[in-house]
Amino acid sequence: MTRRTQAERSDATTALLITTAQRLFGAHGYAATSIDAVAAAAGVTKGAVYHHFGGKTALFRAAFVREQEEIAATLERVAFEQSDGWAALRRGCRTFLEHCLDPGFRQIVILDGPSVLGWETVREIEYGHALRVLLDGMRLAQAEGLFAEGDLPARAQLVFGALCEGGMLLARAADPVAALPGLAAEADRLLEAFKV
């Protein structure tokens, strides 16, 4: 049995802290989750959390990035399963809204992310993940002749902004599951405006 290197132990601790923080921030929100709670749940010292992240905001940022990595991977997977770029766009938008039903994603990405990290940081992270996947989907649909010519980055931001607002509506709905079909239909209507 080989011993792990210091770098491997450090990476394992970092991954454990992000997973734990993601679970706790998602369940209880940023304000109600302390560094002490994350450390205890991860089975490490409070000092270890500060060593790896420097503070609560940096730890939350890592949890937010992890959420973005996961949604981007999901969106890429469902897009790949579709017959063309247009179907991929529609399915991707629906999938994003469905993902907003997940309480952890909703709490970290939709509710706490903008107030904790600030709008610019949130969008910067999303540019590399969920928003990037949406823009890639629009480019594919346009290359296939299914999407009207135009300013795709601007369109992607407009559609993504609408999807995020849809996520906020779901977060505040008395019955988010019942609200989903109507919001998904409105997202489809929004995309139809750009269809050839």
Side-chain angles (χ1 to χ4, degrees):
M1 189 166 145
T2 60
R3 293 179 60 178
R4 292 192 304 173
T5 66
Q6 177 60 32
E8 289 170 333
R9 286 192 301 275
S10 179
D11 288 348
T13 300
T14 299
L16 173 63
L17 287 170
I18 293 170
T19 299
T20 304
Q22 190 179 10
R23 181 172 49 84
L24 293 179
F25 286 134
H28 308 294
Y30 179 81
T33 302
S34 68
I35 290 285
D36 288 326
V38 174
V44 302
T45 66
K46 183 177 176 179
V49 179
Y50 281 106
H51 171 74
H52 288 277
F53 292 98
K56 184 175 167 181
T57 302
L59 182 58
F60 179 83
R61 185 184 192 285
F64 184 92
V65 168
R66 172 78 62 81
E67 291 285 349
Q68 286 294 312
E69 290 167 348
E70 291 172 357
I71 186 63
T74 298
L75 293 172
E76 287 171 335
R77 187 188 77 249
V78 299
F80 183 75
E81 295 167 352
Q82 305 310 306
S83 59
D84 59 42
W86 183 252
L89 267 178
R90 290 185 66 228
R91 184 65 197 136
C93 289
R94 168 100 185 188
T95 298
F96 181 87
L97 291 171
E98 289 169 352
H99 206 71
C100 290
L101 295 177
D102 176 81
F105 178 83
R106 191 169 59 229
Q107 186 66 49
I108 292 170
V109 174
I110 303 296
L111 298 174
D112 286 342
S115 62
V116 174
L117 300 174
W119 185 87
E120 287 186 18
T121 299
V122 163
R123 281 296 185 259
E124 177 186 319
I125 295 167
E126 289 168 338
Y127 283 140
H129 298 90
L131 186 52
R132 172 192 52 80
V133 176
L134 176 60
L135 180 56
D136 289 347
M138 288 182 170
R139 286 182 175 136
L140 175 62
Q142 190 175 70
E144 293 175 350
L146 304 168
F147 206 73
E149 293 291 326
D151 185 345
L152 291 184
R155 287 178 180 176
Q157 279 200 252
L158 289 169
V159 171
F160 190 69
L163 292 172
C164 290
E165 284 298 314
M168 190 66 75
L169 288 171
L170 289 172
R172 292 198 163 86
D175 185 349
V177 173
L180 176 63
L183 282 170
E186 293 304 323
D188 275 349
R189 288 186 189 95
L190 182 62
L191 285 177
E192 285 288 336
F194 302 120
K195 191 175 183 183
V196 171

